[in-house]
């Protein structure tokens, strides 16, 4: 199994367990996620959920580049295996906290966009490589635009691999509600989830549903446009592949990053989405931002 689930004292810990692939999602893992959310609807032992990724290097890096996703020939149809991986899409209204360590990028936003709130470690980074590799960021940008100021999501999505949102900035703009030491995001999220699980579950679920009702008037019509924007704006798959093949490789120049790490480039080798999907690369948080508080 590439998805681990542990339930204790009303809290389910759901862990994406493909650390060797930076927790990129293959089709089996995507199906497991959908099935897990739907099962939780019937499980009275689950009153709150924490979603995280194994290994500490990444929360999730989108769909695995090795996943084969055949597409219908019609320009009016798009088969996206990540459309059903979120809890709200599967009619689960029990609260979900996302615990982010390391990279969260591209297709990870399908999950982050449907969590109640995010807790992240100081090592967390958020970025979206779609435009760099010839793809429209549609579903991802729509979901995250409801969590971030418009200028911030525009900068992150439009600049592709050239932009990386650090944990401190994500906290400042409200994308992340709480910062932790590296490696501690899941532990802290479990403590917060225990508080949620101790509340009467009916009122909690009703409040979750009310909060999301406030978003749906804008979200539903925006998402309806997404497949058409992707069909119109994506470069052909062979062109996407050439752009991805030309990316900087592990061990190439550091592009001015002071820490010398290449974790994002390593992540690129593992994952992607929509045909020749996402690569994983990006810069550290913007210069001049305040330190983590």
């Amino acid at each position: 199994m590439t998805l681990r689930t542990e339930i204790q004292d009303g809290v389910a810990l759901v862990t994406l367990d493909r650390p060797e692939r930076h927790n990129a999602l293959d089709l089996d893992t995507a199906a497991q996620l959908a099935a897990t959310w739907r099962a939780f609807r019937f499980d009275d032992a689950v009153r709150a959920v924490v979603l995280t990724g194994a290994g500490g290097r990444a929360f999730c890096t989108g769909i695995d580049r090795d996943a084969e996703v055949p597409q219908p020939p019609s320009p009016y149809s798009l088969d996206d295996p990540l459309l059903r991986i979120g809890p709200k899409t599967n009619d689960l209204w029990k609260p979900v906290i996302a615990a982010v360590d390391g990279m969260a990028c591209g297709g990870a936003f399908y999950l982050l966009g449907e969590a109640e709130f995010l807790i992240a470690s100081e090592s967390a980074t958020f970025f979206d490589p779609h435009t760099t590799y010839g793809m429209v960021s549609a579903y991802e940008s729509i979901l995250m635009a409801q969590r971030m100021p418009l200028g911030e999501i525009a900068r992150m999505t439009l600049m592709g691999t050239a932009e990386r949102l650090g944990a401190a900035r994500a906290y400042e703009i409200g994308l992340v509600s709480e910062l932790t030491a590296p490696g501690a995001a899941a532990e802290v999220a479990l403590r917060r989830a225990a508080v949620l699980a101790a509340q009467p579950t009916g009122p909690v679920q009703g409040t979750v549903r009310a909060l999301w009702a406030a978003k749906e008037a804008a979200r539903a019509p925006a998402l309806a446009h997404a497949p058409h924007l992707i069909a119109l704006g994506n470069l052909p798959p062979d062109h996407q592949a050439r752009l991805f093949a030309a990316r900087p490789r592990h061990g190439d120049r550091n592009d001015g990053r002071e820490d010398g790490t290449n974790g994002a480039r390593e992540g690129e080798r593992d994952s992607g989405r929509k045909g020749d999907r996402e690569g994983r690369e990006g810069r550290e948080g913007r210069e001049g931002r305040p330190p983590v508080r």
Side-chain angles (χ1 to χ4, degrees):
M1 296 287 286
T2 55
L3 191 73
R4 288 189 281 113
T5 302
E6 306 162 59
I7 301 173
Q8 184 175 354
D9 298 328
V11 176
L13 175 62
V14 177
T15 305
L16 301 171
D17 195 14
R18 305 187 77 220
E20 74 287 353
R21 301 290 282 179
H22 293 277
N23 297 318
L25 302 171
D26 58 10
L27 300 187
D28 181 60
T29 308
Q32 289 179 52
L33 275 166
T36 296
W37 302 132
R38 297 193 72 80
F40 284 167
R41 297 181 309 152
F42 297 93
D43 192 343
D44 289 339
V46 175
R47 298 188 294 279
V49 183
V50 171
L51 174 65
T52 194
R57 298 288 301 281
F59 169 79
C60 176
T61 54
I63 197 166
D64 196 301
R65 288 187 61 82
D66 290 340
E68 294 291 335
V69 186
Q71 294 296 325
S74 170
Y76 302 103
S77 301
L78 174 69
D79 285 347
D80 187 335
L82 301 191
L83 280 178
R84 303 296 300 179
I85 65 171
K88 306 304 177 293
T89 305
N90 285 284
D91 200 36
L92 178 70
W93 303 103
K94 298 176 182 181
V96 177
I97 304 172
V100 180
D101 270 314
M103 296 180 288
C105 47
F109 297 160
Y110 286 73
L111 293 168
L112 298 184
E114 293 198 5
E116 268 55 71
F117 55 91
L118 279 57
I119 293 174
S121 77
E122 297 167 1
S123 63
T125 52
F126 306 84
F127 58 102
D128 189 347
H130 278 77
T131 57
T132 297
Y133 299 119
M135 293 172 285
V136 174
S137 178
Y139 292 107
E140 298 85 354
S141 61
I142 291 168
L143 290 168
M144 295 300 278
Q146 296 195 305
R147 307 203 74 105
M148 301 169 63
L150 181 61
E152 298 287 343
I153 185 63
R155 177 169 176 148
M156 184 173 70
T157 56
L158 292 173
M159 293 184 70
T161 62
E163 181 73 1
R164 190 174 235 195
L165 184 68
R169 182 60 179 164
Y171 177 74
E172 288 176 354
I173 65 175
L175 173 61
V176 169
S177 68
E178 186 173 359
L179 290 179
T180 76
E187 176 186 351
V188 173
L190 285 169
R191 293 203 296 268
R192 305 299 175 252
V195 175
L196 299 178
Q199 313 280 23
T201 187
V204 167
Q205 291 187 54
T207 303
V208 169
R209 190 66 187 88
L211 290 168
W212 284 87
K215 294 172 170 280
E216 286 172 352
R219 186 172 70 151
L223 290 174
H225 287 292
H228 310 297
L229 297 173
I230 292 166
L232 288 169
N234 273 17
L235 296 179
D238 58 342
H239 195 165
Q240 295 177 28
R242 289 196 297 273
L243 290 172
F244 186 80
R247 74 199 186 282
R249 302 297 184 122
H250 178 60
D252 289 354
R253 64 186 179 87
N254 194 38
D255 283 335
R257 288 174 55 190
E258 294 179 359
D259 64 353
T261 60
N262 288 282
R265 290 176 188 159
E266 293 168 11
E268 281 189 327
R269 297 198 301 270
D270 295 338
S271 56
R273 66 174 251 83
K274 295 191 184 77
D276 279 286
R277 306 294 202 233
E278 294 160 352
R280 306 293 173 229
E281 176 183 293
R283 300 184 189 277
E284 292 298 340
R286 302 171 200 161
E287 296 179 1
R289 298 295 185 189
V292 176
R293 293 190 291 273

